[in-house]
Amino acid sequence: MSSRTPGRRQILLAGSGGLIAAALLTAAHATARAARGGRGVEPDIDTTAQWNARPPRSPVSVLNKRPVRIVVHHTVSPNTSVFSRAQAHAHAHWVQDLHMDDNGWLDSGYHFVVSRGGWITEGRHRSLSTLRGGTGFVLASHTSGQNEQSIGIANEGAYHDGAQPPAAQWEVLVTLCAYVCGQYGIAPSQIYGHKDYGTTLCPGVIHDKLPQLRGEVAASMG
């Protein structure tokens, strides 16, 4: 199994007390930086080619505008203790098969998926290239009524029964959200959960942690 440089894959965060204080002090600066389109650190993201995704049923659509928010999800897959890159790829296949074969969609519904081990996989084809460009994004299928306005980021696992995301997953979620916010000029305050836009339990306990997520993203950008 290949490895990555830990410094790029995970961002070490300060203690919770200092982090909260830092978030309060830098939130306004992060919002201003996002509005200017400031670029953050790009995390390692495995492309659809790297995890050998199935081709989409039809060409994906690219919207020639910037998204205005991020919507966070969980995939309700088993809370595995296998944190390898191979597991992240296997989970990406599981998500794509579910969305294409059971839901009848043209491809994976999410733009990106964060594994429990902290690996990021590209979901719908072309999501990464458009993110890097920073001016358009792929039309995905993650949240009814929000697909033309938001980036969908899913987290491997089921968090509706009180289970907590592993530290590596959380840290990389923060890093990915900060990068997306920077590329598209999205303020950290515009990070929401799936249940904000529909009758669902998704993303479970992660929804309760959204204020923390917004704060840590703001601190990271600041």
Side-chain angles (χ1 to χ4, degrees):
M1 183 186 73
S2 61
S3 61
R4 307 178 186 180
T5 304
R8 293 194 63 206
R9 179 169 170 254
Q10 296 180 342
I11 302 297
L12 296 178
L13 302 173
S16 59
L19 184 57
I20 292 171
L24 292 173
L25 290 171
T26 62
H29 296 289
T31 299
R33 180 179 175 185
R36 294 194 303 270
R39 300 299 191 256
V41 176
E42 179 181 341
D44 288 319
I45 301 173
D46 284 352
T47 66
T48 50
Q50 286 176 291
W51 61 267
N52 195 29
R54 295 161 59 180
R57 297 185 191 279
S58 57
V60 299
S61 298
V62 176
L63 303 176
N64 294 316
K65 62 179 182 179
R66 286 178 156 193
V68 298
R69 64 183 57 89
I70 294 171
V71 180
V72 178
H73 303 258
H74 67 167
T75 64
V76 200
S77 57
N79 289 337
T80 179
S81 58
V82 179
F83 290 172
S84 65
R85 185 183 189 186
Q87 167 57 27
H89 288 190
H91 177 257
H93 279 289
W94 179 84
V95 169
Q96 188 185 41
D97 290 346
L98 177 68
H99 288 179
M100 293 182 70
D101 299 335
D102 291 12
N103 295 2
W105 297 344
L106 65 91
D107 197 357
S108 176
Y110 307 120
H111 292 96
F112 303 100
V113 181
V114 181
S115 79
R116 283 173 57 82
W119 302 93
I120 306 171
T121 50
E122 180 182 29
R124 184 154 295 194
H125 285 73
R126 300 186 66 186
S127 294
L128 181 55
S129 62
T130 52
L131 171 61
R132 286 172 172 163
T135 58
F137 71 106
V138 168
L139 178 63
S141 304
H142 58 92
T143 307
S144 178
Q146 290 297 311
N147 293 318
E148 294 188 355
Q149 305 177 61
S150 63
I151 292 292
I153 298 176
N155 295 275
E156 178 188 15
Y159 301 112
H160 53 275
D161 289 327
Q164 295 288 325
Q169 184 175 41
W170 180 261
E171 291 168 5
V172 171
L173 174 63
V174 171
T175 305
L176 176 59
C177 286
Y179 181 62
V180 172
C181 284
Q183 289 295 100
Y184 287 130
I186 300 172
S189 60
Q190 296 303 304
I191 300 174
Y192 293 93
H194 187 184
K195 68 185 298 182
D196 289 317
Y197 301 102
T199 304
T200 176
L201 296 175
C202 179
V205 73
I206 295 177
H207 191 272
D208 299 331
K209 294 167 70 71
L210 285 177
Q212 178 185 347
L213 178 60
R214 296 175 186 129
E216 292 187 15
V217 169
S220 176
M221 296 178 69

